[in-house]
Amino acid sequence: MPAEPAIRIDNLMKRYAAPKGAKGEDAEGKLALKGVSFDVPEGSIFGLLGPNGAGKSTLINILAGLVNKTGGSAEIWGFDIDEHRRNASRAIGIVPQEIVFDPFFTPFEVLENQGGFYGIPARDRRSEELLEAVRLADKRNAYARTLSGGMKRRLLVAKAMVHSPPILVLDEPTAGVDVELRRQLWELVTQMNREGVTVVLTTHYLEEAEELCDEIAIINHGELIAHKPTADLINMAREKIVAVTLADDITAAPAHEAFSKVELAGARGVEVTYNKDKLSAGQVLAILQEQGMTVEDVTTREADLEDVFVQLTGTGS
Ligand code: ADP
Ligand code: MG
């Protein structure tokens, strides 16, 4: 029997109210989600990927109880978000995109206050343990305003985990964040997942989704356009590239009906793009040799998520 999904989203719709006095098309309000359905498997790192304005935050904010949906349904940990709002909220911890703290609270106080908000008795709170987990134990008593951007993000993750939810959701955790901090956050997320937490993250960075996520749902203009295990999604791209260095300078570019693109790179470099359903890398090399070229060095490049994304959305990332 398959396990219950951590999150189930069924035909979710959101139309934002139109601004007062809006005319024509605007008078109907923005349709930000047009009936989106997918399940998030328990124990996964799940990526919700899409360009800016796709509807990612709208979806997350509906789960968080911050935005009212206009259609469809959602369950968190088996709890319908309308019928069992309290239980649904207790099963999820959300890290918002914006950093907001009272600058005069210390990390320890931020976590204690959040524990109080959830009605967790002082003796049962996990503030110390969580500060350790996000490597802020030495900043326990520092004012929040003195923390670096990276430390603040980590404190937000700890804050989202105060009530020990089985699901952690991060909305664009690494937007505008430097490489080092991005690495730190990825590590933290991976570690929490290893400890059994189901993680959902929204991102518009393909690289992030590709590296971290087991499964990816792509939304564009409020519609789900793909949902697959990451490896299957990448496999959807049919194009592959063979880059060769030839022994001699190129006199004429190689051409063949089975090649989809040929590009020259310097005096002795050739990159051949081909459809992997029609050719293999070996056949590409054989064709080059038939045309009188001696291949000295070869590398191949697999398609990545970016290729798939461009293919599906018809846009650049
Ligand atoms: P994403 O998080 O993927 O960038 P959002 O969910 O924030 O996308 O936005 C989806 C669409 O809904 C966008 O066109 C955005 O302008 C619109 N939108 C978001 N919030 C509101 C709001 N409060 N009122 C009206 N329109 C909104
Ligand atoms: Mg957003």
Side-chain angles (χ1 to χ4, degrees):
M1 197 179 78
E4 276 275 306
I7 298 175
R8 171 174 287 154
I9 286 164
D10 189 21
N11 201 22
L12 204 59
M13 279 184 232
K14 174 62 187 179
R15 186 185 289 281
Y16 285 104
K20 265 214 172 77
K23 293 203 172 61
E25 215 176 285
D26 293 342
E28 298 204 313
K30 173 79 193 177
L31 188 54
L33 291 175
K34 302 173 181 168
V36 171
S37 307
F38 60 84
D39 289 352
V40 175
E42 185 185 343
S44 61
I45 301 186
F46 189 96
L48 184 59
L49 185 68
N52 281 327
K56 305 181 296 296
S57 292
T58 299
L59 194 149
I60 298 305
N61 289 337
I62 290 171
L63 296 178
L66 299 171
V67 166
N68 290 321
K69 62 186 165 61
T70 43
S73 63
E75 281 176 17
I76 300 171
W77 215 242
F79 299 110
D80 184 276
I81 60 167
D82 291 334
E83 285 172 48
H84 303 284
R85 183 68 248 177
R86 266 178 72 86
N87 283 330
S89 292
R90 286 190 163 266
I92 199 165
I94 298 191
V95 181
Q97 190 174 332
E98 302 301 322
I99 294 179
V100 274
F101 287 119
D102 186 321
F104 294 105
F105 281 113
T106 68
F108 182 74
E109 288 165 342
V110 166
L111 300 188
E112 287 292 301
N113 292 346
Q114 185 75 354
F117 173 79
Y118 277 102
I120 303 168
R123 63 174 183 283
D124 294 335
R125 292 187 197 149
R126 309 165 56 209
S127 306
E128 308 283 359
E129 177 195 329
L130 284 167
L131 287 175
E132 285 284 343
V134 299
R135 289 189 260 127
L136 284 176
D138 59 332
K139 296 288 174 191
R140 186 187 189 278
N141 299 318
Y143 284 132
R145 70 184 146 95
T146 66
L147 303 180
S148 71
M151 292 172 183
K152 285 179 182 158
R153 294 253 172 204
R154 300 208 303 268
L155 182 54
L156 278 176
V157 173
K159 190 179 168 200
M161 295 302 291
V162 156
H163 56 298
S164 308
I167 305 169
L168 175 65
V169 176
L170 304 109
D171 194 4
E172 305 258 3
T174 56
V177 153
D178 67 39
V179 177
E180 168 60 19
L181 174 54
R182 212 192 287 189
R183 282 271 148 214
Q184 279 181 23
L185 282 167
W186 288 4
E187 229 172 80
L188 184 59
V189 161
T190 314
Q191 181 198 326
M192 299 227 166
N193 179 252
R194 271 199 302 268
E195 288 163 10
V197 176
T198 301
V199 178
V200 177
L201 62 95
T202 77
T203 182
H204 60 269
Y205 294 123
L206 299 162
E207 185 202 332
E208 182 160 83
E210 189 165 348
E211 168 143 349
L212 278 185
C213 302
D214 309 310
E215 246 180 59
I216 293 173
I218 301 180
I219 59 172
N220 198 23
H221 301 300
E223 284 175 297
L224 184 77
I225 55 173
H227 170 208
K228 283 181 193 303
T230 309
D232 294 2
L233 203 56
I234 289 165
N235 222 6
M236 279 172 65
R238 307 318 300 168
E239 304 263 276
K240 258 186 100 161
I241 295 167
V242 173
V244 300
T245 306
L246 302 174
D248 310 296
D249 285 1
I250 301 157
T251 47
H256 194 276
E257 55 184 14
F259 294 168
S260 26
K261 198 166 78 181
V262 175
E263 278 183 304
L264 301 183
R268 296 192 291 137
V270 180
E271 288 189 8
V272 177
T273 304
Y274 62 98
N275 184 314
K276 67 181 177 190
D277 295 333
K278 295 187 191 145
L279 281 183
S280 68
Q283 286 170 316
V284 171
L285 294 180
I287 292 169
L288 295 180
Q289 268 151 7
E290 272 166 28
Q291 299 191 1
M293 297 172 188
T294 308
V295 174
E296 214 170 63
D297 194 19
V298 186
T299 56
T300 60
R301 189 173 79 79
E302 286 287 345
D304 59 19
L305 199 49
E306 178 154 6
D307 299 320
V308 181
F309 196 80
V310 170
Q311 204 170 300
L312 286 171
T313 61
T315 63
S317 53

